[in-house]
Amino acid sequence: MAPRVVVVGASLGGLRAAEALTSLGLAPGQVTIVGAERHPPYNRPPLSKELLEDLGDIPDAFAKTAFRLKPEVAAAHWRLGTPAVAADLGTRLVHLSDGSTLPYDALMVATGLTPRRLPFPGGDRQRFVLRTLEDAAALRQALRPEHAVVVVGAGFIGCEAAATAAKLGCSVTVVEPQGAPMARAIGAEVGAALQRLHTARGVRFRTKVGVLELICDRSGTLKGVRLSDGTELEADVLVEAIGSSANVDWLRGQGLDLSNGLLCDNHMRVEGRGDLYGIGDVARFPNPLYDAEPRRVEHWCVPGQTARRAAETVVATLNGAPPPEAEFRPLPSFWSDQHGLRIQSFGLPAIADGIEVLEGALDTPQTIERGVAIGYRRAGRPVAVLAIALPPGRALRHRAFLDA
């Protein structure tokens, strides 16, 4: 019997895995892709950006974001709307929500992330996360002019949602317990500069405080939030953007290290397993481009990069050959659109211990709007470059900083 590969997760990582497997010689009939959502793969980043501003109905939104499937990928087995609920790694079986099972010779995990929620009751009809088309559609219906919107969490999704809500005429306040927005990803100094830009566009910030409780009336309708300093904020809409956790609960009880996603080696094999592989947001793997520390990197490019590496290892293993000899050294990248400005990064700003401005200035919102490039170093070594409001050509030229 021809070897069977099951890919659990039908978003970008699962799609790229199916593309890579078939391009490397597997027949479409050997590949099964399992997805929790009923939709075929679609592009998620626009959900908190331009699509949130002008969403329309679900079919229209899907048409705008759907990936085109190559014929050989479309011919694979797709099990959409039937999430994996468990796996038996000993017998090599995946159990689906409809009670069926899928046998496999190689299992590729691309289950992505689950948004975290605030641990408070009440206001269910006015509380939103942003992960799926349905999430974005529900939030868009709630973002009406003059509505008071509280965004909890000032990471990229929170800041993008805040910028979009402000553009739609909402009164927006961002609550961030850790300090400057996006500081964990791009550093406190750059985060503080972008906070000034948001403030100039009408977004208010409450930093270094958290949400203590939700204020609801007798019917459970959300009226506001009470912060840890005692302040009360009016809230018609609450956006919970407090991060995500790797979607690996269905793999518990199998002796795996699931403390932070799936611990993988540089070939994307799950540690201690020769038939289990991690892809994308769920995978914690070492990148010799920086060091030997395994990290999960939640950037748009990573699903495609890790899917290709994992597929190469899978196909080699199924053919009785060794995995690729070359080290896997992907360059992470991401982008964000906020208030009409493109923020683009190459590398890992989060691990830097110092920055330098390569072009422009971070002094005021006006100087940021004219374009800025920032270089990031760790122990003197370049590890990332970030461009804000620069044309694509100028932004790409600053990638040379990483070769210095």
Side-chain angles (χ1 to χ4, degrees):
M1 179 182 292
R4 300 155 297 187
V5 180
V6 173
V7 182
V8 180
S11 190
L12 180 60
L15 171 63
R16 297 296 185 239
E19 290 174 342
L21 290 168
T22 52
S23 73
L24 291 169
L26 264 65
Q30 295 176 260
V31 180
T32 300
I33 306 98
V34 175
E37 291 187 64
R38 60 185 175 85
H39 306 291
Y42 61 91
N43 198 20
R44 294 184 191 274
L47 298 183
S48 57
K49 304 179 182 73
E50 67 271 16
L51 201 63
L52 183 60
E53 181 183 343
D54 183 24
L55 186 66
D57 57 24
I58 294 292
D60 178 60
F62 176 71
K64 293 177 180 177
T65 59
F67 292 107
R68 176 176 293 182
L69 302 186
K70 298 177 180 178
E72 61 272 22
V73 174
H77 301 296
W78 290 84
R79 297 292 300 273
L80 300 177
T82 54
V85 296
D88 186 330
L89 303 186
T91 59
R92 292 184 175 178
L93 286 175
V94 175
H95 297 263
L96 305 186
S97 61
D98 63 0
S100 62
T101 59
L102 294 173
Y104 66 85
D105 297 288
L107 176 59
M108 305 176 78
V109 179
T111 40
L113 305 174
T114 298
R116 297 191 180 101
R117 305 300 299 256
L118 292 168
F120 308 116
D124 292 346
R125 290 175 297 175
Q126 298 149 277
R127 298 172 62 172
F128 303 90
V129 294
L130 268 173
R131 181 66 184 169
T132 67
L133 280 169
E134 286 76 12
D135 292 337
L139 177 57
R140 180 63 185 87
Q141 289 296 315
L143 294 179
R144 300 173 183 173
E146 308 305 324
H147 266 187
V149 177
V150 173
V151 179
V152 183
F156 284 104
I157 290 177
C159 286
E160 290 165 359
T164 301
K167 185 175 181 180
L168 292 171
C170 300
S171 173
V172 184
T173 302
V174 178
V175 177
E176 172 49 65
Q178 300 301 318
M182 300 166 283
R184 185 176 300 176
I186 61 177
E189 185 176 347
V190 181
L194 287 171
Q195 180 178 335
R196 294 192 291 271
L197 175 67
H198 276 271
T199 301
R201 302 292 181 92
V203 177
R204 293 178 295 277
F205 283 81
R206 294 299 312 276
T207 60
K208 299 185 179 179
V209 292
V211 175
L212 189 64
E213 64 176 321
L214 306 186
I215 303 170
C216 301
D217 66 15
R218 290 179 180 272
S219 68
T221 299
L222 180 70
K223 295 299 181 181
V225 299
R226 182 172 290 112
L227 304 183
S228 54
D229 63 358
T231 303
E232 294 184 5
L233 301 175
E234 180 186 357
D236 300 301
V237 175
L238 178 64
V239 180
E240 299 171 65
I242 56 175
S244 304
S245 56
N247 200 352
V248 294
D249 282 350
W250 62 284
L251 288 169
R252 296 199 182 280
Q254 305 291 316
L256 303 174
D257 181 348
L258 304 178
S259 57
N260 182 15
L262 276 172
L263 179 61
C264 301
D265 63 16
N266 189 246
H267 290 95
M268 305 314 301
R269 296 174 297 204
V270 173
E271 292 285 2
R273 304 289 310 188
D275 54 2
L276 184 62
Y277 304 81
I279 292 172
D281 297 335
V282 79
R284 176 163 49 107
F285 66 97
N287 185 345
L289 188 62
Y290 300 105
D291 51 34
E293 180 180 344
R295 294 184 179 88
R296 282 198 312 110
V297 182
E298 298 177 10
H299 296 339
W300 187 87
C301 67
V302 172
Q305 294 167 328
T306 53
R308 183 72 190 185
R309 178 66 165 189
E312 291 171 346
T313 309
V314 166
V315 172
T317 302
L318 293 177
N319 290 331
E325 293 184 3
E327 287 186 327
F328 181 46
R329 299 164 60 89
L331 178 68
S333 64
F334 67 80
W335 81 93
S336 176
D337 292 322
Q338 299 174 30
H339 299 293
L341 303 180
R342 172 61 58 95
I343 301 168
Q344 190 167 11
S345 169
F346 302 97
L348 277 183
I351 68 173
D353 55 26
I355 69 168
E356 60 182 284
V357 177
L358 306 175
E359 178 180 344
L362 291 169
D363 303 337
T364 66
Q366 292 74 27
T367 58
I368 294 175
E369 290 168 351
R370 288 196 288 270
V372 186
I374 303 102
Y376 292 77
R377 295 182 185 274
R378 182 175 67 168
R381 178 189 167 204
V383 293
V385 63
L386 181 81
I388 305 172
L390 287 178
R394 281 165 61 191
L396 285 172
R397 283 201 295 272
H398 285 292
R399 285 186 59 172
F401 171 81
L402 298 175
D403 301 324

